[in-house]
């Protein structure tokens, strides 16, 4: 079952967000300490009006356990959603002059993080979350669904291509090179 996330899901969803982000999570937290990274994303997951909010998250539930999550939002609202996050980092974590490149754009529903618990991988949960993300964007009136995938991540690239995403271009994002992929709703 896939449902909207709630603030109480934070202890399950935050590790999934961090897993999906990889080393980017530490760059956003300005730390390599897993506890600091987790505290930052937990704080924002429980809050409204930011890109990592529970408001922008769906969870996959099986046997009353969160096994996967997808975080997504209107790409045209990225800068607005990111502003509170960056202001917090500047004020509380001394991360000044940190302005990550926009990874999405107006006219696109952006799938920011898609993640499945390691023990539940290979069961189709990721595919179900991608499908739910596409339907979510469609229900909000979008006809383009976008995401970034690391160029080296051939497994994810193939998964997204099999789900109907095509490479639009390459983007540099916080020092890494990514494919910007788009799914067009007909």
């Amino acid at each position: 079952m896939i449902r909207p996330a709630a603030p109480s899901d934070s202890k399950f969803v935050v590790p999934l967000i961090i897993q999906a982000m990889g080393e980017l999570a530490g760059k956003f937290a300005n730390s390599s300490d897993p506890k600091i990274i987790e505290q930052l994303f937990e704080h924002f997951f429980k809050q409204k009006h930011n890109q990592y909010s529970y408001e922008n998250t769906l969870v996959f539930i099986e046997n009353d356990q969160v096994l996967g999550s997808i975080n997504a939002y209107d790409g045209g609202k990225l800068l607005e959603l990111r502003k509170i996050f960056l202001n917090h980092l500047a004020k509380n974590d001394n991360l000044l002059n940190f302005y990550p490149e926009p990874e999405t754009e107006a006219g696109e529903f952006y799938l920011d993080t898609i993640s499945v618990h390691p023990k539940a991988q290979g069961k189709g949960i990721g595919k179900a979350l991608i499908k739910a993300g596409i339907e979510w964007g469609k229900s909000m009136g979008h006809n383009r669904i976008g995401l970034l995938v690391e160029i080296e991540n051939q497994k994810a690239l193939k998964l997204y291509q099999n789900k109907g995403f095509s490479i639009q271009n390459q983007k540099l994002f916080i020092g890494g090179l990514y494919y910007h992929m788009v799914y067009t709703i007909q």
Side-chain angles (χ1 to χ4, degrees):
M1 172 180 88
I2 295 177
R3 65 160 172 81
S8 59
D9 293 322
S10 68
K11 71 178 180 176
F12 306 106
V13 176
V14 167
L16 293 172
I17 291 171
I18 293 168
Q19 174 182 283
M21 291 182 73
E23 64 184 44
L24 288 177
K27 289 180 180 181
F28 272 91
N30 196 27
S31 177
S32 59
D33 183 332
K35 287 185 180 188
I36 291 172
I37 296 168
E38 190 171 306
Q39 287 171 350
L40 175 72
F41 284 95
E42 184 171 344
H43 170 77
F44 280 101
F45 179 79
K46 291 180 177 181
Q47 305 299 313
K48 293 183 175 187
H49 311 302
N50 73 85
Q51 69 190 105
Y52 298 109
S53 171
Y54 69 91
E55 295 176 305
N56 298 322
T57 306
L58 299 176
V59 292
F60 183 99
I61 305 289
E62 187 175 273
N63 299 325
D64 295 324
Q65 291 185 321
V66 174
L67 298 180
S69 68
I70 183 168
N71 173 260
Y73 44 84
D74 180 339
K77 295 181 179 179
L78 173 66
L79 297 180
E80 173 190 332
L81 293 170
R82 188 181 273 169
K83 185 177 179 181
I84 189 171
F85 193 80
L86 295 179
N87 287 344
H88 175 88
L89 294 176
K91 181 179 176 187
N92 298 299
D93 298 320
N94 201 31
L95 191 55
L96 306 173
N97 301 315
F98 179 62
Y99 303 105
E101 305 88 344
E103 65 261 40
T104 184
E105 57 198 39
E108 177 175 277
F109 189 70
Y110 184 65
L111 308 184
D112 193 314
T113 64
I114 304 166
S115 188
V116 177
H117 190 283
K119 292 181 180 178
Q121 292 178 358
K123 297 180 179 182
I125 295 170
K127 291 176 186 172
L129 288 166
I130 294 166
K131 182 179 178 187
I134 291 168
E135 290 302 316
W136 188 9
K138 185 178 177 181
S139 75
M140 294 178 67
H142 293 274
N143 62 3
R144 284 174 42 106
I145 311 295
L147 56 81
L148 292 186
V149 62
E150 290 175 294
I151 288 181
E152 300 85 28
N153 191 344
Q154 292 299 306
K155 185 178 176 184
L157 176 64
K158 188 172 183 87
L159 169 67
Y160 297 131
Q161 287 173 325
N162 288 340
K163 295 303 284 179
F165 286 82
S166 60
I167 297 171
Q168 297 298 298
N169 54 34
Q170 293 182 6
K171 285 193 176 199
L172 189 62
F173 181 63
I174 311 181
L177 194 57
Y178 296 81
Y179 288 124
H180 176 224
M181 301 185 78
V182 171
Y183 178 94
T184 303
I185 298 170
Q186 303 294 340

